[in-house]
Amino acid sequence: MVGLRNCTIIPVELSEVLMALMITDECINCDVCEPECPNQAIYLGPEIYEIDPNKCTECVGHFEEPQCVQVCPVACIPVSPAHIETKETLFQKYLRLQSAG
């Protein structure tokens, strides 16, 4: 049995857990997602479009829903399990990006 003696458990409502988005290799390079990103987080990579997780806020601070997901014709923009963030963290990233811009 594994002990949790030195762990800190922070309760977070599942509705508050979000993640930065990513573009999968199913991307068809149709160019519709890039201009929709208010943070300029989407760019053309070597083969397909990619999302910079340091700039992606899932449109928190701008829109209710991620705009790239809304316009993608092939549904190739899922959340990235490598970048788990809360809505508050995404909002703080939005504020940081706005002050730097």
Side-chain angles (χ1 to χ4, degrees):
M1 183 171 189
V2 177
L4 297 176
R5 189 176 331 164
N6 295 323
C7 293
T8 301
I9 298 174
I10 302 171
V12 175
E13 288 197 34
L14 290 178
S15 63
E16 291 296 312
V17 176
L18 301 172
M19 303 175 196
L21 300 170
M22 62 182 274
I23 297 176
T24 67
D25 59 4
E26 294 156 349
C27 174
I28 59 172
N29 291 331
C30 67
D31 303 318
V32 298
C33 61
E34 183 183 27
E36 296 299 320
C37 181
N39 298 319
Q40 289 94 36
I42 301 174
Y43 61 95
L44 185 58
E47 295 180 26
I48 59 172
Y49 278 91
E50 298 180 15
I51 297 177
D52 180 346
N54 295 312
K55 292 182 178 180
C56 178
T57 64
E58 287 196 39
C59 291
V60 168
H62 293 282
F63 303 101
E64 291 295 318
E65 299 288 330
Q67 298 301 288
C68 60
V69 174
Q70 298 296 316
V71 299
C72 181
V74 293
C76 69
I77 308 176
V79 294
S80 173
H83 300 284
I84 298 172
E85 299 171 287
T86 65
K87 194 166 193 166
E88 177 61 28
T89 302
L90 292 171
F91 186 69
Q92 291 302 317
K93 187 189 306 184
Y94 157 78
L95 292 175
R96 187 187 80 242
L97 291 168
Q98 294 302 302
S99 67

